Every structure is written in C-alpha cells, then in structure tokens.
Amino acid sequence: MQGLDTAAAIANSTGLEIRQHNAITTARYEMTACEMDIVFYLLSLLKKEDRIGTFYRVKVLDLQHLTGRQWNYQQFLEATSALRTREYVIEDNKRILQVGLLASAEYMKGEGVIELEISEKIRPYLIDLKRNFTSFRLQAAFSLSSKYAKRIYQIASQWKDKSETRTFTLHDLKVMLALKDPKGVEPEQYTKVSMFQKYVLDVAVTQINQNTDLHIGYELIKKGRSFESIRFQIKQQEPHQLPLPFEQPLDDSRLQMARQRLAELDIRDTRLIEQILGEARMVDELFAFCYKLKTGKVKASTNPGGLFLTVVGLRKSQAAPVKK
C-alpha cells in the first residue's frame, strides 16, 4: 500500500497516475454495493475548493437514474448509517490511519434529498482520488451490481494503460476485499480457491467485461502445489456507457447521459432532441422511461422511441396504452 507520507507528495507531482496513488483504492474496508454507489456519487460532487463543513446534497432520483436501480428511503437510511461506521484502514511502515467516510448524514423529509458531510481526515485522499477518477468511469462503476466487481474494477483501472496489474498475493487481495482479517480474528471467507473464483473473481470478470470500458482476465499463480498469488490481465474496450466527467456539474453530465439515452431509443431528430433536453420535466421523464424499459415495467419491443415520444406528448398515440 502507498504510505500516508508519500500520498501527499505524489498528489502534488506532475503526470500523476492513479496506480501510483493507491491509498483509498487498496485500503482495507467493507462496503455493500449500495454504499459504494453513494460514495461514487459523493465523489462526483466533491470540489477541491470546498471548505471544511461543506454539505453535499444527494438526490435519490439522480442516483436512481444513474444506477438504473430503484432506491427507497429505507435503503438510503441503512446505507448511510453503515457508512457512518465503516472504516478505511490506510497503513504504511510508520502508522495506521483508521478513518470513517461520513461525519454526518441528514435526511430532508419529503424532498428526496440527503445532505452528507465527509470526515475531514479523509478529504485529502478523496480529492486525490477524484483528480484521477478519469482512470475509471463513474457510470461503469454504477453499472456493476457486485461489490467485488466494483472493487476489482477500481483496482484494474489503476493499470489500464498496461497489459496487466502487479501480482497480488491472494492474502493481500482478500484483505483488500474484506474477505480476510489480517489479524486472524474474524473467519476468512471463501477459503477454497474454487469458491473464491466462483463467487468473487468470475462474477467480477463477467460484470466488468459486459459493462465497462475494460476487458479483464486473471491468472492464478502457484507456489508449490497451492495457489498463492493472482495477476489481472487488462485490455481497454469501447465503453458500454457514456462516461460522466467529474469536472462538469452533475446537470451537464445528466444532459450528456440524456443524449445517450435518446440515441439508444433511436430518436435522431435534432428538433425533438433539443426540445426534450430543454425541459427538465422531459429529461426526468426520459430517465424514468428508460428505467422502466430496462426493468420490464414498460413493454416496447418494436419502437420504444416512439412510445417515449407519445408518453411526453410529442407524438399522438395511435395505439392502446401499454401496460406498465
């Protein structure tokens, strides 16, 4: 792991590569997929110039649109409550930093908004991570449902300009994924390599290859008769989702994604596109429609674009209403 002292120096250097700044990505922590999605969203809102005590407003609908998954109040409550107690452990030869992510989480009832405050001790690491977050794509990270796929995608993204990662011992990788307690107090999960492959590695590889800009594989390396280490092979591929650049406001990112969704619906008319993107209500309708289409709540196998135009009132209905 990169040390606490070297992280700051590396962050100030030129030509920074994310695989050189490794404190957060390879820190030891346990999070669910929902919690990680909130962390990714929070990173998109973070700005270097933000003052101590800045509150970040997370909109439930925005996260729903970005992830393509239905979120509810109880999910958020449980996720932010857990994030208040989750611990990053960042260690070097001189010290161990135990730090939480959130200082507070406040729910605005009836608004669908949560205000989050991050812990100041972790802010420098998040700022550095955000600066290099172009090394992996927010939308791709959201599209991964497995928490292990999300973590392995982050790790692989550090090495995306190379053909493979460094070699990790299975012990170190399991510690990073919170599958093994380095002190041996908690029981190790997936002690059999075959089970580790089936429930962690193979799931992560499949999801990453199907949903992100990376195509990865892995090689298990033996020492004697037992597997001891692992190395991931990496190739870049065309992203399956439109990237959400962190340097732009969230609204601009949503508009970019909205253009992508319109293209997926085969809506090409420039006049219609500009009309839809020019009204917040229609953009919201677009994301909601695509979510329902993806989850099967709307059935439109032949002309989903035409159905959407009918839903928002830009085309007259010529058929019976579709079941939702």
Side-chain angles (χ1 to χ4, degrees):
M1 292 186 185
Q2 291 289 343
L4 300 174
D5 294 327
T6 57
I10 293 170
N12 291 326
S13 67
T14 57
L16 180 68
E17 295 178 325
I18 193 167
R19 55 187 158 83
Q20 292 178 317
H21 174 66
N22 213 15
I24 290 296
T25 307
T26 58
R28 185 168 73 250
Y29 63 87
E30 164 71 9
M31 283 188 189
T32 66
C34 290
E35 291 165 40
M36 278 190 271
D37 282 344
I38 293 174
V39 173
F40 293 143
Y41 188 104
L42 185 58
L43 280 172
S44 76
L45 305 178
L46 198 65
K47 296 183 178 64
K48 185 177 181 180
E49 62 272 15
D50 290 341
R51 297 180 179 180
I52 293 175
T54 297
F55 293 93
Y56 302 93
R57 293 173 64 86
V58 175
K59 297 180 181 179
V60 177
L61 279 178
D62 281 340
L63 196 54
Q64 224 170 253
H65 295 152
L66 289 170
T67 62
R69 293 187 290 276
Q70 188 73 44
W71 289 71
N72 57 52
Y73 176 88
Q74 189 61 32
Q75 265 184 307
F76 263 108
L77 194 63
E78 291 174 359
T80 53
S81 178
L83 284 172
R84 289 271 292 111
T85 61
R86 295 296 190 205
E87 184 179 80
Y88 288 97
V89 180
I90 303 169
E91 181 177 355
D92 67 4
N93 292 329
K94 295 181 179 180
R95 49 189 161 173
I96 299 174
L97 173 63
Q98 296 172 300
V99 60
L101 176 71
L102 295 182
S104 68
E106 185 173 2
Y107 286 73
M108 306 302 171
K109 292 184 177 180
E111 297 182 26
V113 170
I114 308 161
E115 285 193 348
L116 302 178
E117 178 187 12
I118 67 171
S119 303
E120 288 308 313
K121 196 80 171 181
I122 205 171
R123 179 182 290 273
Y125 295 98
L126 296 180
I127 292 294
D128 289 342
L129 181 60
K130 175 180 175 175
R131 183 185 302 167
N132 299 285
F133 223 83
T134 51
S135 293
F136 70 94
R137 300 173 186 269
L138 176 63
Q139 186 57 33
F142 278 138
S143 69
L144 303 171
S145 60
S146 163
K147 63 181 180 180
Y148 303 121
K150 290 176 186 288
R151 289 297 307 277
I152 290 173
Y153 177 59
Q154 290 173 288
I155 293 167
S157 293
Q158 299 170 29
W159 304 84
K160 70 185 181 70
D161 57 340
K162 305 292 183 181
S163 61
E164 60 185 20
T165 67
R166 70 174 176 86
T167 300
F168 299 90
T169 66
L170 292 180
H171 167 82
D172 286 346
L173 182 60
K174 282 189 170 184
V175 168
M176 288 162 54
L177 298 177
L179 292 171
K180 189 173 184 178
D181 182 355
K183 297 179 180 179
V185 176
E186 298 293 329
E188 178 182 350
Q189 298 182 54
Y190 306 122
T191 53
K192 292 184 178 179
V193 172
S194 60
M195 302 302 282
F196 183 50
Q197 286 183 276
K198 181 178 180 179
Y199 294 109
V200 177
L201 298 176
D202 292 345
V203 171
V205 167
T206 298
Q207 290 193 9
I208 290 169
N209 292 348
Q210 290 179 351
N211 296 287
T212 79
D213 55 317
L214 301 183
H215 189 280
I216 73 168
Y218 65 88
E219 175 189 4
L220 291 170
I221 303 165
K222 281 187 174 181
K223 184 177 181 180
R225 296 184 176 182
S226 301
F227 289 109
E228 183 189 60
S229 305
I230 184 170
R231 184 166 50 237
F232 294 94
Q233 294 85 35
I234 307 166
K235 292 181 181 179
Q236 296 192 52
Q237 61 182 353
E238 287 298 314
H240 297 260
Q241 302 284 351
L242 187 70
L244 298 179
F246 278 90
E247 299 308 314
Q248 298 182 18
L250 183 63
D251 287 346
D252 289 345
S253 298
R254 287 189 66 203
L255 287 176
Q256 290 189 46
M257 180 165 285
R259 288 184 181 276
Q260 176 74 5
R261 293 291 179 263
L262 290 171
E264 291 170 0
L265 294 175
D266 200 29
I267 297 175
R268 311 286 180 178
D269 187 290
T270 303
R271 180 185 59 81
L272 286 174
I273 291 172
E274 295 308 315
Q275 186 174 351
I276 293 166
L277 298 181
E279 295 187 30
R281 176 189 66 82
M282 288 195 183
V283 173
D284 288 341
E285 289 271 11
L286 171 64
F287 284 123
F289 178 84
C290 290
Y291 171 77
K292 291 176 182 177
L293 193 66
K294 182 177 180 180
T295 56
K297 294 180 180 180
V298 164
K299 306 293 184 184
S301 58
T302 56
N303 185 16
L307 177 58
F308 169 71
L309 293 175
T310 301
V311 169
V312 295
L314 295 179
R315 177 177 294 179
K316 291 183 180 180
S317 177
Q318 298 179 352
V322 69
K323 291 185 178 180
K324 297 186 181 182

